[in-house]
Amino acid sequence: MIGDAGTAANGGLNTLGVTNTGTPICINDAAVTGGYHQLCLGANSLGGGLLSYNAFGGATTLPFQININGSTTTLGTGTVNSGTAGQMTYYATTGTAVSGNTSANILNGGLTLGQTGSVLGSLSLSGSSSGLVGILPQASAGTFNFNLPITAGTAGQVLTSGGGGSAPMTWTTTGGSVVAGTIGQTGYYASGGTVMSGTSALILTTTTANLSPSGTVVISPTGVLTVNPASLSTLDNVTIGATTKAPGNFTSLLATGQIASGVAGSSIGSLALSGNSSGTVTVKTQAAAGTYNFNLPITAGTSGQPILSAGGGASPMTYGSLAGNTSTFATTTGALTSGHVATFDASGNLQDGGAPNTGTINSGTANQLTYYAGSGTTLYGNANMTVSAGALTTGVTGAAAGSVIFSGSSTGAVTVKGSTTTVGTYNFNLPTTAGSANGPLLSGGGGATAMSWGSPSGSTTVFGTVTGALTNGHCIAADASGNLIDNGSTCGSGGSGTVTSGTATQLAYYASSTNAVASNSALTVVGGALTVGVPTTTQGQLKFSGATSGTITVTGQAAAGTYEFDLPTTAGTAGQVLTSAGGAGAPMTWGAAGLAAISVQNTSFNALSNASYCIDTTGGAVTMTLPASPSNNDQILFIDCKSNFAVTNMTVGRNGKLVMGLSSNMTVSTPNAAVTLIYISANGDWRAF
């Protein structure tokens, strides 16, 4: 049926229903007798919804276009020329042809750039305004994983390798102490360790650099050293090429290439910079200096920023930040001595806390255990106790007999000791089972075979001759010739014992003052792991008694959580603190004590105790929410790092605690504010200093 659909302004036709398969509704742009284009629409159970645009009768192929609000988009263009599974595609030339890139492949979530043996992989990151940073391996790169850490770390921390396997890298905080120095002096390591001293041989002021070494300065270039004097045979009053020394001063020195000081394997290179009135500063390498680049940063940085290493390659070093030591954030009581620790007095003012604790390892050899030879902080290596590949060796063959002493909890001590005379070389391999009560321990031969338990009624091995008959139950004695004889009566009491009960992996102990041994369900051993306590029922405790008095108890919390307390791989240095690695199998690390390095925050966040924050309110207001359960003397430092608090305030969310004695949030509107909050648990109050 065909009917009047009305006008364009008041159309009467609002529904068009067509029942057919294929594409029953079609629009042609010309008669079908010649070339034409056809747009068709269909909805059917055979192929589903279909919108098609095709050229027929020799008409030119045209693209399909969609116009939305005056904007036209062309569909159906582009050709994939070639490619292999996993390859990324790119436009090989300007146009619509897309090809696969053999040097960029994706497999199971891994993106591979480059081809082993032919193409070096690289990743380039462009700056938003200028610059381009390239990330690429060495030509002979080796095979390892560059596993990023599981947290963002804090400002100023450095990445520590996880070994290139499955373990992630970790963030660590570097530290060190300057023991003594004068303004203008350059710091150096006077001895091995983390302690630096200033040297008067290398002094740098705002106008003069003074190089005054006590020995000879040797310039030994591998190529040609060219000096262009101001006039023939002279350079600022210094005679060039003469056989007699002449005094003079260099007012300027310009090198268009590399200046090399020292000779590898012969003399140490150094640079001495003298002050214009007095003093000399010397820049000098170590005897075994290593080979690396000391690339200065590309900017001047800001006052007080430390320079962070870029790895000694081609990249420049960068400026980091310190934990708030460039701003005055507290008043002081008395004088503070450089290198000493700072503490708070009763009024919250900083005061000198004296020299920090130090410790020194005087001597030691590989594999030796260390010990305190006397009262103090000095450690020595113990030549009589060494560790190698899981084996602890006590004593020194030919010099000292080894022994292990087990002290009783109240009295007595059991000593396991090698003979003071010549002993054989053998293994004392314990049996693989606990044996039965009263069973004798039989040798395994001292080789790789473990010892075994025999029968309490006697071994089947004959170990002596007998004179006369032996009565079962009687004791045995020896006659004058060494033969075994019947003693004529039963033996006295002793030598018996009973294991009352036990379960696999449980440790045994004397439950009372008798010879009955029972197992302790709260102490179990599986593999190399000793478990103290029983989950959900018995809290585990490990106690260490002092040699003269006192007991240290290590106790898990009632709701302890499940994690690993992995000790660090090194002993650290005196005064360092342990930093958690997340409790997931990675070892803890040693770091410097004090507030954590400053992190920049430009949105609202939850603050952590003993942390430092640089607050940026240029993008909007920022609320720093204090910890819900702080401990006494917890500290939080925050500063206005963009000088914007007066324009956009910063808010301290009290999170249920008092702030400056008030039960309301604190608003900070002072520009360039630098505030330290200290929690006083007795008052439940955060106080600003």
Side-chain angles (χ1 to χ4, degrees):
M1 178 186 295
I2 299 176
D4 188 353
T7 65
N10 187 20
L13 182 63
N14 55 27
T15 303
L16 179 63
V18 179
T19 303
N20 199 352
T21 60
T23 52
I25 301 177
C26 294
I27 302 174
N28 300 336
D29 63 355
V32 297
T33 56
Y36 67 97
H37 300 90
Q38 186 180 69
L39 175 66
C40 294
L41 176 66
N44 56 79
S45 60
L46 299 179
L50 177 64
L51 178 65
S52 65
Y53 182 69
N54 296 285
F56 297 102
T60 302
T61 301
L62 297 176
F64 183 78
Q65 297 179 329
I66 298 176
N67 187 286
I68 301 175
N69 296 327
S71 178
T72 301
T73 301
T74 302
L75 303 179
T77 61
T79 304
V80 177
N81 282 6
S82 62
T84 305
Q87 291 182 356
M88 297 181 66
T89 58
Y90 72 111
Y91 285 99
T93 59
T94 302
T96 60
V98 180
S99 299
N101 191 334
T102 59
S103 295
N105 294 267
I106 296 178
L107 178 63
N108 296 331
L111 172 62
T112 301
L113 301 177
Q115 299 181 58
T116 302
S118 60
V119 179
L120 183 69
S122 66
L123 178 64
S124 297
L125 306 174
S126 298
S128 60
S129 59
S130 65
L132 181 69
V133 178
I135 302 174
L136 64 162
Q138 300 299 312
S140 299
T143 301
F144 60 89
N145 293 328
F146 193 77
N147 298 324
L148 294 178
I150 58 177
T151 63
T154 56
Q157 286 188 306
V158 296
L159 274 180
T160 301
S161 172
S166 59
M169 295 181 288
T170 55
W171 292 106
T172 57
T173 302
T174 59
S177 302
V178 177
V179 174
T182 305
I183 295 177
Q185 289 185 350
T186 297
Y188 75 106
Y189 287 100
S191 60
T194 60
V195 178
M196 298 186 69
S197 299
T199 172
S200 59
L202 186 58
I203 300 176
L204 179 64
T205 66
T206 57
T207 59
T208 303
N210 185 11
L211 177 64
S212 300
S214 58
T216 301
V217 176
V218 179
I219 301 176
S220 302
T222 57
V224 177
L225 175 64
T226 301
V227 179
N228 294 320
S231 61
L232 185 62
S233 299
T234 62
L235 178 62
D236 288 348
N237 300 324
V238 177
T239 301
I240 304 300
T243 58
T244 302
K245 297 180 181 180
N249 297 301
F250 289 98
T251 58
S252 63
L253 179 62
L254 175 63
T256 58
Q258 178 177 342
I259 298 177
S261 174
V263 178
S266 175
S267 60
I268 296 176
S270 63
L271 175 64
L273 306 173
S274 298
N276 64 345
S277 59
S278 63
T280 302
V281 178
T282 301
V283 180
K284 188 175 183 181
T285 64
Q286 299 298 313
T291 302
Y292 60 90
N293 294 329
F294 192 77
N295 300 323
L296 295 177
I298 59 177
T299 63
T302 58
S303 177
Q305 282 188 298
I307 294 180
L308 305 180
S309 172
S315 300
M317 295 180 289
T318 57
Y319 285 100
S321 61
L322 298 176
N325 68 338
T326 59
S327 300
T328 300
F329 60 91
T331 57
T332 60
T333 298
L336 300 180
T337 302
S338 176
H340 284 195
V341 296
T343 60
F344 288 99
D345 62 14
S347 301
N349 300 313
L350 289 177
Q351 61 182 3
D352 194 292
N357 292 328
T358 59
T360 306
I361 297 177
N362 279 9
S363 62
T365 305
N367 299 330
Q368 289 184 357
L369 295 181
T370 59
Y371 73 112
Y372 287 100
S375 298
T377 60
T378 302
L379 291 172
Y380 294 82
N382 191 334
N384 293 316
M385 189 166 292
T386 57
V387 176
S388 177
L392 173 64
T393 301
T394 61
V396 178
T397 302
S403 64
V404 178
I405 301 175
F406 299 88
S407 297
S409 59
S410 57
T411 61
V414 177
T415 300
V416 180
K417 186 176 183 180
S419 175
T420 55
T421 59
T422 302
V423 296
T425 300
Y426 61 92
N427 296 329
F428 192 77
N429 299 323
L430 296 177
T432 57
T433 64
S436 59
N438 301 323
L441 192 60
L442 306 180
S443 172
T449 304
M451 295 181 288
S452 60
W453 295 104
S455 170
S457 61
S459 172
T460 58
T461 302
V462 176
F463 57 91
T465 57
V466 178
T467 299
L470 300 179
T471 303
N472 185 29
H474 284 192
C475 276
I476 298 175
D479 61 14
S481 301
N483 300 313
L484 297 179
I485 59 175
D486 194 293
N487 196 39
S489 62
T490 59
C491 296
S493 61
S496 62
T498 304
V499 175
T500 304
S501 62
T503 304
T505 74
Q506 292 182 358
L507 271 68
Y509 73 111
Y510 284 100
S512 60
S513 299
T514 63
N515 55 17
V517 179
S519 63
N520 191 332
S521 60
L523 291 173
T524 56
V525 176
V526 176
L530 171 64
T531 300
V532 182
V534 180
T536 73
T537 60
T538 305
Q539 188 177 44
Q541 289 186 335
L542 187 61
K543 297 186 177 182
F544 298 91
S545 298
T548 57
S549 63
T551 300
I552 298 174
T553 301
V554 180
T555 305
Q557 299 298 314
T562 301
Y563 61 90
E564 294 185 17
F565 192 78
D566 297 312
L567 295 177
T569 57
T570 63
T573 57
Q576 286 186 306
V577 297
L578 274 180
T579 301
S580 172
M588 295 180 289
T589 56
W590 294 105
L595 294 176
I598 288 180
S599 64
V600 178
Q601 302 290 340
N602 53 22
T603 59
S604 296
F605 66 100
N606 294 325
L608 301 176
S609 292
N610 301 315
S612 306
Y613 299 101
C614 185
I615 311 299
D616 177 9
T617 62
T618 57
V622 175
T623 297
M624 180 183 75
T625 302
L626 298 174
S629 301
S631 300
N632 188 49
N633 205 40
D634 276 0
Q635 301 181 35
I636 298 175
L637 166 68
F638 66 90
I639 61 177
D640 180 10
C641 60
K642 289 299 181 70
S643 303
N644 198 58
F645 280 5
V647 178
T648 304
N649 299 163
M650 175 261 188
T651 301
V652 177
R654 67 188 190 90
N655 202 6
K657 305 298 182 182
L658 298 178
V659 177
M660 297 299 292
L662 302 176
S663 58
S664 60
N665 295 338
M666 182 172 69
T667 300
V668 184
S669 59
T670 303
N672 299 313
V675 180
T676 298
L677 295 174
I678 301 180
Y679 184 70
I680 304 172
S681 60
N683 302 331
D685 188 8
W686 290 92
R687 288 283 175 168
F689 294 90

